[in-house]
């Protein structure tokens, strides 16, 4: 199968899933981080309902420690799409003593997002949250169904998932439950980049090689910022880097790179011996770090 035919098949499947979510649920929302996967999701949602507008809002859980390039891009894209953007802040959860700010060398707000997200789902009554997670990202995400049911506490249980045979998506839920829906679950990182190239999608500049002040820590390159707790063993350097994923600045490491176009990024990724999430410090806290966060209600 040619690359273009493969991308067309993936696009059609994703649009089908997005339309199923809009048809089966009363109040869906699209979780938007400003990363390449959620930007791809936004483009697919636009195509799914064109020429009408996207019929559900977008939700961003803002840690307050985001890359400024991502926030600028987020606001500009929302204006272009004409969709409602709802933002909920981790800082509010900290101020309300619902979560506690981490301290120490590896302090991050990434895991604190879960409480803010679950509060937003309950406050606004969302029964389905569309997300840009993909099975190839990490082993716990490989276990997820397209429609992943969460209990009334927002928790995920891998053993309680429903079969999805013949593309039958079952959106029936009990009171208090909600569903996380993953329309690009069957895509790979390479598929996403090939699709971005085909559709000529714009991305935040951090995805491409640029000069940046970095903190070299434990062999990883973290963006220098006021949010990072600098310790004596950290090495502060200037480096040409790019980011393969977008998350909280305190736990998203960069890779040294000279790839400054989509074509060179695709080529560099193919030659890389590291995984896409290999630069995510939060995933390295334990062997099952992401799965434990997902069980607690994380995206």
């Amino acid at each position: 199968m040619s690359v273009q035919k493969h991308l067309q098949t993936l696009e059609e499947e994703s649009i089908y899933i997005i339309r199923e979510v809009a048809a089966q649920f009363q109040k869906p929302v699209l979780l938007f981080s400003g990363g390449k996967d959620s930007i791809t999701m936004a483009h697919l949602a636009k195509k799914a309902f064109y020429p009408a507008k996207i019929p559900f809002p977008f939700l961003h859980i803002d840690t307050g420690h985001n890359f400024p390039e991502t926030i600028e891009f987020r606001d500009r894209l929302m204006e272009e799409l004409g969709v409602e953007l709802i933002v909920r802040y981790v800082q509010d959860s900290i101020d309300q003593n619902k979560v506690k700010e981490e301290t120490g060398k590896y302090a991050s707000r990434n895991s604190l997002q879960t409480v803010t997200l679950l509060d937003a789902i309950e406050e606004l009554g969302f029964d389905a949250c569309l997300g840009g997670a993909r099975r190839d990202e990490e082993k716990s995400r490989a276990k997820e169904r397209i429609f992943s049911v969460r209990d009334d506490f927002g928790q995920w249980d891998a053993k309680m998932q429903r079969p999805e045979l013949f593309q039958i998506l079952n959106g029936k839920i009990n009171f208090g439950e909600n569903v996380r829906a993953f329309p690009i679950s069957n895509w790979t990182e390479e598929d996403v980049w090939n699709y971005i190239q085909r559709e000529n999608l714009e991305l935040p500049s951090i995805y491409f090689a640029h000069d940046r002040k970095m903190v070299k820590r434990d062999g990883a390159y973290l963006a220098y910022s006021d949010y990072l707790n600098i310790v004596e063993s950290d090495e502060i350097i200037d480096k040409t880097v790019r980011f393969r994923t977008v998350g909280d600045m305190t736990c998203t490491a960069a890779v040294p790179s000279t790839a400054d176009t989509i074509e060179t990024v695709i080529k560099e990724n193919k030659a890389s011996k590291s995984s896409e999430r290999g630069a995510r410090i939060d995933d390295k806290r334990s062997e099952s770090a992401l799965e434990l966060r997902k069980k607690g209600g994380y995206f």
Side-chain angles (χ1 to χ4, degrees):
M1 184 183 291
S2 70
V3 172
Q4 293 308 318
K5 186 171 177 54
H6 175 61
L7 291 178
Q8 190 61 32
T9 300
L10 290 174
E11 181 189 79
E12 290 171 1
E13 179 190 58
S14 299
I15 287 176
Y16 162 74
I17 294 166
I18 292 170
R19 287 173 176 166
E20 280 294 301
V21 170
Q24 293 194 38
F25 295 93
Q26 294 184 355
K27 197 169 182 182
V29 68
L30 192 150
L31 302 179
F32 189 84
S33 69
K36 66 183 187 308
D37 299 315
S38 55
I39 291 168
T40 298
M41 285 280 296
H43 184 69
L44 290 165
K46 179 182 175 182
K47 279 197 166 187
F49 304 105
Y50 184 83
K53 286 191 174 182
I54 299 170
F56 39 74
F58 286 24
L59 172 64
H60 182 215
I61 303 301
D62 190 337
T63 66
H65 294 173
N66 299 104
F67 289 91
E69 297 96 325
T70 306
I71 298 299
E72 183 277 329
F73 183 91
R74 177 200 71 183
D75 293 342
R76 185 157 45 85
L77 181 63
M78 295 304 105
E79 190 171 339
E80 290 174 9
L81 292 173
V83 297
E84 178 190 4
L85 173 67
I86 300 168
V87 183
R88 289 294 181 268
Y89 299 92
V90 170
Q91 183 62 53
D92 290 339
S93 300
I94 295 172
D95 293 343
Q96 295 163 12
N97 293 319
K98 292 183 175 179
V99 293
K100 187 176 181 180
E101 188 96 73
E102 293 183 352
T103 58
K105 178 180 177 181
Y106 299 103
S108 171
R109 288 185 171 184
N110 200 50
S111 64
L112 307 185
Q113 295 178 80
T114 300
V115 171
T116 312
L117 171 62
L118 295 180
D119 281 352
I121 291 171
E122 182 177 4
E123 172 200 347
L124 300 166
F126 295 126
D127 53 1
C129 299
L130 290 147
R134 310 187 321 269
R135 289 193 172 109
D136 78 318
E137 286 182 85
E138 201 270 346
K139 55 184 180 295
S140 68
R141 286 192 165 162
K143 300 176 185 176
E144 290 261 30
R145 298 287 194 268
I146 300 293
F147 277 11
S148 183
V149 178
R150 306 300 173 103
D151 66 19
D152 53 356
F153 296 103
Q155 297 172 326
W156 173 69
D157 185 347
K159 298 187 290 297
M160 298 295 288
Q161 296 190 99
R162 300 163 174 169
E164 291 179 337
L165 303 175
F166 310 109
Q167 291 189 309
I168 297 175
L169 301 172
N170 181 359
K172 291 184 178 178
I173 53 176
N174 297 315
F175 180 77
E177 293 178 339
N178 64 83
V179 159
R180 308 288 170 86
F182 303 113
I184 63 169
S185 187
N186 292 329
W187 297 43
T188 65
E189 181 188 20
E190 184 176 356
D191 293 331
V192 171
W193 276 104
N194 283 334
Y195 188 73
I196 287 169
Q197 183 181 45
R198 188 185 88 164
E199 300 294 305
N200 195 27
L201 302 184
E202 187 183 355
L203 294 178
S205 58
I206 62 172
Y207 276 109
F208 303 101
H210 58 286
D211 296 331
R212 199 176 196 110
K213 191 175 184 180
M214 306 296 294
V215 177
K216 189 175 182 182
R217 171 185 291 176
D218 305 333
Y221 295 98
L222 292 162
Y224 181 88
S225 74
D226 293 338
Y227 315 128
L228 205 59
N229 292 334
I230 306 294
V231 298
E232 190 175 347
S233 58
D234 289 336
E235 182 182 357
I236 299 173
I237 58 174
D238 292 321
K239 192 80 176 173
T240 303
V241 299
R242 67 179 175 89
F243 293 85
R244 288 178 71 174
T245 65
V246 167
D248 194 89
M249 289 185 78
T250 56
C251 64
T252 307
V255 293
S257 172
T258 57
D260 56 1
T261 65
I262 293 176
E263 290 80 7
T264 52
V265 167
I266 292 172
K267 186 177 179 180
E268 193 174 84
N269 284 348
K270 282 183 177 179
S272 175
K273 295 181 179 179
S274 301
S275 68
E276 180 183 8
R277 292 187 69 94
R280 292 294 293 262
I281 308 300
D282 48 336
D283 286 357
K284 296 180 179 179
R285 290 190 172 191
S286 74
E287 180 66 23
S288 56
L290 182 56
E291 179 155 345
L292 290 173
R293 293 204 303 275
K294 285 165 64 63
K295 286 179 178 177
Y298 183 75
F299 158 68

